[in-house]
Amino acid sequence: MALGLCPALAVTTRVVNGLGIGAALTFVLVSSNVIIALLRDVIPERGRLTSYIAVIASLVTVVDLTMQAYTPRLSEQLGIYVPLLAVNCLILGRSQAFARRSEGGHTVLDSLGIGLGFTVSLTVISLVREVLGAGSITLFPMGNFSGIVKIPVLSDSPARIMVLAAGAFLVTGYLKALFNWTRMHQPRSAQPSQERAV
Amino acid sequence: MTIARTFPRGGIHPEEHKEVTRKRHIWNAAIPSHCIVPLLQHAGAPAEATVKRGDRVREGMLIGRATGSISAHVHSPIPGVVTELRDLFLPSGVRSTAVVIRLEGEFDRLGKAPQRHEWAKLSRRELLGLIQEHGVVGMGGASFPTHLKYRLPRGRECTHLILNGCESEPYLSGEHRLMVEHPEEIVEGLQIAAAILRPDHVAVGIENNKPDAIAAVQRLVKERGLDVRVYPLKVKYPQGDEKQLVRAVMGEEIPSGGSPIDVGAVVSNVSTVMALFEAVCLRKPVIERVVTVSGDAVANPANLKVRIGTTIGELIQECGGLVKEAERIVCGGPMMGATITDLSTPVTKDTSAVLALTAAEVHAGEETPCIQCGRCVRSCPMGLEPTLLYKLIDHREYAASVENGLADCVECGCCSYSCPARIPLVEGMRSGKQVARTEGLLP
Amino acid sequence: MSTGSRSAPVTVASSPQFFDSAHTRRIMWTVSAVLTPAAAWGVYVFGIHAFFVLFASIIAAVIGEGVMARILNRRTLRDGSAVLTGLMVGMTMPPAVPVYIPVVASLFAIIVVKWTFGGLGSNWMNPALAGRVFVYFSWTPAMTGWTMPSTLPQADAVSGASMLGLIKQGLSGTGGHVGSPLRFLRDAGFPVSTTDTAVTDWLNQHVLHALGFSIPGGYVDPFLGNIPGSIGEVSAALLLLGTVVLLARRIITWEIPASYFLSFALLTWVFGGARYGTGLFGGDILFQLFTGGFILGAFYMATDTVTTPLTSAGMLIYGGGAGILTFLIRFYGAVPEGVALAIILMNVFTPLINRYTRPGRYGLSEGRR
């Protein structure tokens, strides 16, 4: 359930970062899984891992260059974590577990779902961290709107530790605890029987 | 002046509460009108009744015969008539049948001049036979039949015979008074034990808070020119536990899971050795013992010589009754004794004390979570970690608790005593051992 | 025969049948009581706002505790641990700090450090110190603004700074040549109270002269508590008195205070001077001891039983390690006071220390399992 959260700690200091990396990951996830699913009969067993990495890395490069071109400030913020998506356990893990066994259509849905979940959770973490730690909410600039929403009281003296590593662990931990708690209190039938992502 | 020896690990220094009783002479308790004599007063199988309802019995007559491989005889403490065979609960929680005798008729020993018997020419076999015949068991708490203990396992030799004069439990002072008032009998009993066991060394361990007892024994030993070494020991509970006593006196530790004979030691209590003397020299069976009646709730704390089968209620009455509210009534010492609710519980061969404790003496409190203070670890004489063992047992990890030394716990109570969170550590250990036994993890 | 006419039934219990008088509740309340004089001194020299800070942190801790106990359905009998945590948090706050900061620190201490991990006895870090560190890194400017005590004369040149802070600045400014800390502070304009001068002179004339040496002025102020600092840490005298009480009542044992003090003092003496530019074996132990909350930390926070090892040997290692870390942070680290961080770091090592300092078992030949 907690696969692929490594970027979470580093980048979730602004809401827009969470959205951005979530989008990047989703794109890579969907496209790489579709390609791998389509090629599953062609890729030999022995060269499996290498080919997967090749596919994923190429797609990551595409995303990275696109972001550098069209959203340079975001790309700068995310820094090395976009290229690092190439070795993100989530992407590799899903391709291993799912993509190579299924058809294109199923893979798309599966990947979209996972990507969406990842984006949502990272955005939530970023939201909490940025609000408490910087007193603002940063979104994409549009027209006159600079993208930064300042929160009245908190922005004067935010709790800076929240945007540091300790804050990341705290928020992630409590979020997970919240999930566990709601899961414990759900009626049996509503609990999912399959493996869920994020 | 020898430096007092002690054991290296753990131990506690509770308040002694012996000031009053240690100075008073032992007095004879009144003979009760009825004696309730359980047939199980020892480790092993209960004795089998040799009398039935309506039978007449004499003082000192056999009323229960030892059965099975580990057992002991039981004798009637008073002359009279058997009124019933009753089932009751002993303070330990174990059930036993008891012979109830109504006082009637003439005493054979009480009030008569005792007849002394020579024993120097008796063989080991004959001495052991006398001990068995007169129902002598260990009177320091474990109640193991003495004739079996002294009949050493094949191939084992006794190098050290140690007389346990420590009495390190608070409140208790019966053995202290015995050593001061009857040193000759005790020393002679010790000689009898030595004749049976033939040790290389005979030692006596007495805690430093009994200087008069130490002096009395030392003087007597010197007078008779005996090769007995008296060791004054530092006052620290549980010095009287055989494992710690062996460690202090001999400097050796009994291997885990073993008994004193594994290092060549035989440890016997003062009361037991006294009973040895009475059995061999006076041919008197175990029908009475010294009991310390104490606690703030009792009017006149004292040491009494009590007939087995006297009820605890009668003893308390004899000491003036309860003048304050007793929060608990304990059979035995405060560290290892058991609480009772029924004052008609009888005194048995292993009842060393009867305590009526007030709430102020007990200092009970409500249980809080463990604050990891480490006092239990630092006070455990066996080097265990009670906080860890308790948590393991709480989480049903019995195998892990055995691995961490659960079997070595002697239930001395040092850990629970020291625990500021009032966590029932000893209780936890006991229940853990019980489950471990049923699961085959412990013998 | 029954138990006769009684007003209450007797207790049936497993052995042992009596206990040492120490109890969790009494321990907590005693420590709180012992800390109060030092806290009161802080209010006296720093003003009424200090009182509000203390009040806020205690109330926040108690409310936090109450809420968590209700949620988790645990009856945390008023065992005094929440009040103690709140008081300790308050005592480590600078006196002029805005009230929401100690509130956050207390809540963090109680809710995150204590209850998230299982409540009393399960925290893996000292809650009060963790709370302090949390707010220190969150609101650093507010947490490093100090007030001069009312018992010292005015000195605008150094208002707002702490003694260790000035020295740390001086170290980087002078490239490592601060010299004797007291003299450096004097030169920088740090005032000395008249009490200090009077007492120092008296001591020098009547007591120390006979022993053959004299002390410079400036030690008495930190000892009495006439220096800037956190509310509860300044009065070394009152805190030391409290430590004696705690030791006498066996609430704390000697191992941690002794080993913490010795390792820190030794390192300070040997290397502290070298760091400040006065050479080896010339460190100023007393100065380091009386400033920067060392006594509060080493004798009250570091001795918290939950986060420290169980055995004597373990506690000595823990104290020694904390002393080393405090020395390193204070003399070489980025922050001027090292005690809080050192203790928290050592807390994390406690389980490891426990594993390697298990008591030797009776009757086993290798001693330890």
Side-chain angles (χ1 to χ4, degrees):
Chain A
M1 196 195 185
L3 265 183
L5 283 181
C6 337
L9 306 180
V11 308
T12 51
T13 51
R14 301 188 315 165
V15 177
V16 68
N17 291 3
L19 288 169
I21 201 142
L25 180 131
T26 309
F27 174 78
V28 174
L29 189 63
V30 172
S31 33
S32 67
N33 277 0
V34 166
I35 294 177
I36 289 170
L38 291 175
L39 292 176
R40 70 182 182 280
D41 295 324
V42 175
I43 298 175
E45 265 308 298
R46 261 141 116 248
R48 194 175 29 121
L49 216 54
T50 334
S51 9
Y52 289 179
I53 299 264
V55 170
I56 295 169
S58 329
L59 289 164
V60 167
T61 315
V62 166
V63 170
D64 190 24
L65 292 173
T66 315
M67 284 179 81
Q68 282 180 25
Y70 290 99
T71 56
R73 231 167 295 149
L74 181 63
S75 173
E76 215 178 291
Q77 277 278 309
L78 294 176
I80 200 170
Y81 287 94
V82 175
L84 278 179
L85 283 174
V87 292
N88 186 304
C89 13
L90 183 60
I91 302 181
L92 199 59
R94 283 324 280 180
S95 57
Q96 285 271 47
F98 201 71
R100 64 192 183 118
R101 298 180 224 271
S102 336
E103 313 163 351
H106 287 164
T107 318
V108 171
L109 284 176
D110 175 66
S111 316
L112 264 180
I114 293 175
L116 199 63
F118 181 86
T119 312
V120 167
S121 61
L122 252 66
T123 308
V124 168
I125 295 177
S126 317
L127 185 69
V128 175
R129 286 181 74 193
E130 199 186 353
V131 165
L132 290 179
S136 60
I137 298 178
T138 311
L139 300 165
F140 291 103
M142 286 180 300
N144 281 345
F145 175 51
S146 70
I148 303 181
V149 177
K150 277 201 191 297
I151 298 172
V153 173
L154 280 172
S155 61
D156 293 326
S157 55
R160 295 220 178 277
I161 206 172
M162 296 306 283
V163 292
L164 300 177
F169 281 109
L170 279 169
V171 176
T172 312
Y174 275 105
L175 212 56
K176 184 79 166 70
L178 186 66
F179 276 135
N180 285 348
W181 187 74
T182 47
R183 206 190 235 182
M184 274 194 325
H185 287 84
Q186 270 176 0
R188 294 278 151 210
S189 56
Q191 283 178 12
S193 48
Q194 291 153 307
E195 168 195 347
R196 273 202 304 153
V198 188
Chain B
M1 198 62 210
T2 29
I3 303 175
R5 297 190 182 186
T6 187
F7 53 95
R9 277 180 217 89
I12 52 172
H13 300 272
E15 277 180 34
E16 288 181 20
H17 292 280
K18 305 192 201 216
E19 314 73 36
V20 173
T21 55
R22 71 154 65 110
K23 297 197 195 94
R24 293 193 180 153
H25 256 267
I26 302 172
W27 86 61
N28 293 317
I31 307 281
S33 61
H34 287 78
C35 270
I36 306 170
V37 188
L39 289 168
L40 179 64
Q41 300 181 44
H42 47 265
E48 224 171 65
T50 54
V51 294
K52 58 184 188 306
R53 187 150 174 262
D55 284 354
R56 288 207 154 269
V57 293
R58 301 202 64 81
E59 181 191 8
M61 187 176 121
L62 182 77
I63 55 172
R65 181 177 302 280
T67 54
S69 52
I70 301 181
S71 191
H73 294 321
V74 175
H75 301 79
S76 174
I78 52 174
V81 178
V82 177
T83 58
E84 63 171 312
L85 261 58
R86 182 195 297 179
D87 260 353
L88 49 65
F89 277 108
L90 299 171
S92 57
V94 173
R95 296 202 92 169
S96 170
T97 313
V99 179
V100 184
I101 304 165
R102 187 185 69 239
L103 176 67
E104 207 180 275
E106 193 191 334
F107 280 83
D108 290 312
R109 294 178 179 275
L110 183 66
K112 312 240 162 69
Q115 210 191 353
R116 277 289 206 124
H117 297 257
E118 288 301 313
W119 58 271
K121 301 213 178 65
L122 295 177
S123 71
R124 284 183 81 210
R125 173 105 70 85
E126 286 165 318
L127 288 170
L128 283 171
L130 282 173
I131 294 173
Q132 178 175 15
E133 194 185 317
H134 293 90
V136 179
V137 301
M139 288 160 94
S143 331
F144 195 78
T146 309
H147 66 280
L148 292 172
K149 181 164 164 179
Y150 282 18
R151 189 183 296 151
L152 301 173
R154 182 155 309 187
R156 294 270 198 210
E157 297 226 322
C158 171
T159 56
H160 287 76
L161 167 61
I162 304 175
L163 175 62
N164 186 350
C166 294
E167 202 164 41
S168 54
E169 281 248 25
Y171 294 93
L172 272 58
S173 56
E175 308 225 309
H176 180 178
R177 292 308 310 171
L178 273 178
M179 284 190 280
V180 169
E181 295 173 33
H182 299 278
E184 298 87 6
E185 289 95 319
I186 293 169
V187 170
E188 187 153 356
L190 191 59
Q191 287 176 278
I192 294 170
I196 299 172
L197 295 165
R198 306 213 193 111
D200 300 326
H201 308 275
V202 180
V204 179
I206 306 178
E207 274 191 338
N208 255 339
N209 54 3
K210 309 184 225 315
D212 44 358
I214 296 175
V217 176
Q218 266 173 341
R219 194 184 331 122
L220 197 58
V221 155
K222 192 164 162 207
E223 261 172 39
R224 295 196 184 172
L226 299 169
D227 185 17
V228 172
R229 179 116 183 249
V230 178
Y231 291 95
L233 299 170
K234 188 160 164 215
V235 179
K236 185 162 70 168
Y237 176 85
Q239 182 62 82
D241 172 63
E242 65 184 11
K243 290 198 155 98
Q244 308 311 327
L245 184 59
V246 165
R247 176 63 175 83
V249 168
M250 286 173 63
E252 280 181 58
E253 291 188 355
I254 301 170
S256 171
S259 37
I261 196 62
D262 292 335
V263 293
V266 173
V267 180
S268 267
N269 207 276
V270 163
S271 297
T272 313
V273 160
M274 181 84 178
L276 274 184
F277 163 82
E278 293 189 335
V280 172
C281 298
L282 305 178
R283 306 292 156 98
K284 178 180 163 196
V286 180
I287 54 174
E288 57 185 6
R289 68 159 294 155
V290 175
V291 176
T292 308
V293 180
S294 190
D296 270 356
V298 175
N300 300 317
N303 282 304
L304 305 177
K305 187 145 79 150
V306 177
R307 296 269 156 160
I308 308 281
T310 312
T311 65
I312 292 193
E314 283 164 335
L315 281 188
I316 295 178
Q317 278 309 112
E318 185 134 10
C319 289
L322 296 176
V323 288
K324 290 191 195 153
E325 184 150 318
E327 201 249 3
R328 37 189 103 181
I329 300 184
V330 182
C331 231
M335 297 304 296
M336 294 181 74
T339 51
I340 55 161
T341 53
D342 187 358
L343 287 178
S344 62
T345 305
V347 165
T348 55
K349 292 179 188 175
D350 57 3
T351 308
S352 51
V354 167
L355 304 175
L357 303 175
T358 59
E361 280 175 296
V362 174
H363 289 298
E366 76 270 319
E367 193 183 326
T368 75
C370 169
I371 57 171
Q372 301 274 71
C373 65
R375 289 176 202 219
C376 57
V377 176
R378 297 196 292 274
S379 66
C380 179
M382 299 301 290
L384 304 173
E385 292 155 281
T387 177
L388 171 68
L389 289 174
Y390 187 84
K391 282 166 188 154
L392 286 172
I393 292 170
D394 205 22
H395 286 84
R396 311 207 183 156
E397 302 272 357
Y398 300 107
S401 68
V402 171
E403 250 177 67
N404 278 288
L406 180 62
D408 283 344
C409 169
V410 293
E411 296 172 27
C412 64
C414 289
C415 52
S416 291
Y417 174 87
S418 315
C419 180
R422 298 291 186 264
I423 295 182
L425 295 165
V426 175
E427 199 175 326
M429 308 282 192
R430 280 211 187 101
S431 85
K433 283 188 203 171
Q434 213 168 3
V435 177
R437 251 175 242 132
T438 55
E439 293 193 359
L441 297 162
L442 277 181
Chain C
M1 199 194 297
S2 70
T3 47
S5 55
R6 308 174 40 82
S7 47
V10 280
T11 305
V12 172
S14 175
S15 64
Q17 307 298 346
F18 83 156
F19 304 89
D20 188 283
S21 52
H23 190 272
T24 308
R25 201 190 278 186
R26 192 196 282 204
I27 291 177
M28 299 292 166
W29 286 111
T30 307
V31 180
S32 292
V34 160
L35 280 172
T36 308
W41 172 267
V43 172
Y44 165 62
V45 296
F46 292 125
I48 194 68
H49 188 84
F51 176 77
F52 290 133
V53 170
L54 286 171
F55 187 74
S57 37
I58 296 178
I59 295 291
V62 172
I63 292 180
E65 176 94 355
V67 167
M68 290 311 290
R70 181 66 62 84
I71 294 178
L72 297 174
N73 239 329
R74 294 256 295 263
R75 298 174 302 132
T76 47
L77 20 158
R78 295 284 153 241
D79 61 12
S81 61
V83 168
L84 181 59
T85 305
L87 179 61
M88 282 185 165
V89 166
M91 285 175 76
T92 55
M93 293 283 124
V97 90
V99 162
Y100 67 85
I101 290 182
V103 168
V104 171
S106 270
L107 288 176
F108 182 82
I110 295 286
I111 297 178
V112 176
V113 183
K114 186 171 158 188
W115 281 104
T116 306
F117 292 93
L120 181 65
S122 305
N123 39 290
W124 54 286
M125 225 189 228
N126 188 310
L129 286 179
R132 179 191 205 263
V133 170
F134 180 79
V135 298
Y136 178 85
F137 287 112
S138 292
W139 292 285
T140 315
M143 288 294 291
T144 48
W146 306 100
T147 325
M148 278 300 199
S150 58
T151 46
L152 273 187
Q154 274 282 30
D156 297 317
V158 292
S159 71
S162 73
M163 299 166 100
L164 286 173
L166 277 174
I167 292 178
K168 191 70 88 163
Q169 280 171 8
L171 263 182
S172 46
T174 61
H177 288 284
V178 164
S180 140
L182 286 179
R183 179 162 317 146
F184 177 80
L185 289 169
R186 231 36 84 230
D187 294 340
F190 209 89
V192 175
S193 74
T194 45
T195 322
D196 182 303
T197 328
V199 175
T200 313
D201 286 338
W202 185 90
L203 271 177
N204 279 335
Q205 276 172 18
H206 294 99
V207 177
L208 301 175
H209 180 69
L211 295 168
F213 64 96
S214 67
I215 52 167
Y219 283 123
V220 178
D221 271 341
F223 179 72
L224 289 179
N226 298 326
I227 52 168
S230 305
I231 300 174
E233 79 182 25
V234 289
S235 177
L238 290 172
L239 288 171
L240 281 172
L241 204 64
T243 310
V244 170
V245 172
L246 291 182
L247 282 168
R249 309 204 86 153
R250 295 179 301 125
I251 288 178
I252 61 175
T253 52
W254 63 272
E255 286 94 343
I256 293 178
S259 56
Y260 197 157
F261 169 70
L262 280 172
S263 71
F264 180 69
L266 193 66
L267 284 169
T268 302
W269 177 59
V270 174
F271 297 108
R275 179 69 177 133
Y276 286 166
T278 53
L280 283 178
F281 299 105
D284 193 341
I285 299 179
L286 277 183
F287 176 76
Q288 295 293 338
L289 181 63
F290 294 151
T291 57
F294 182 82
I295 297 181
L296 180 64
F299 299 169
Y300 292 84
M301 309 283 199
T303 50
D304 166 48
T305 57
V306 182
T307 48
T308 51
L310 299 169
T311 58
S312 230
M315 292 198 281
L316 289 172
I317 295 175
Y318 170 89
I324 295 173
L325 286 173
T326 307
F327 168 78
L328 287 175
I329 299 177
R330 258 205 202 173
F331 285 81
Y332 295 92
V335 293
E337 307 143 27
V339 178
L341 292 167
I343 293 176
I344 293 184
L345 273 171
M346 286 312 292
N347 286 163
V348 174
F349 279 107
T350 295
L352 190 68
I353 296 176
N354 270 334
R355 188 177 302 187
Y356 284 101
T357 53
R358 301 184 75 174
R361 281 188 36 202
Y362 180 107
L364 286 189
S365 51
E366 335 91 355
R368 64 184 57 171
R369 216 217 107 239

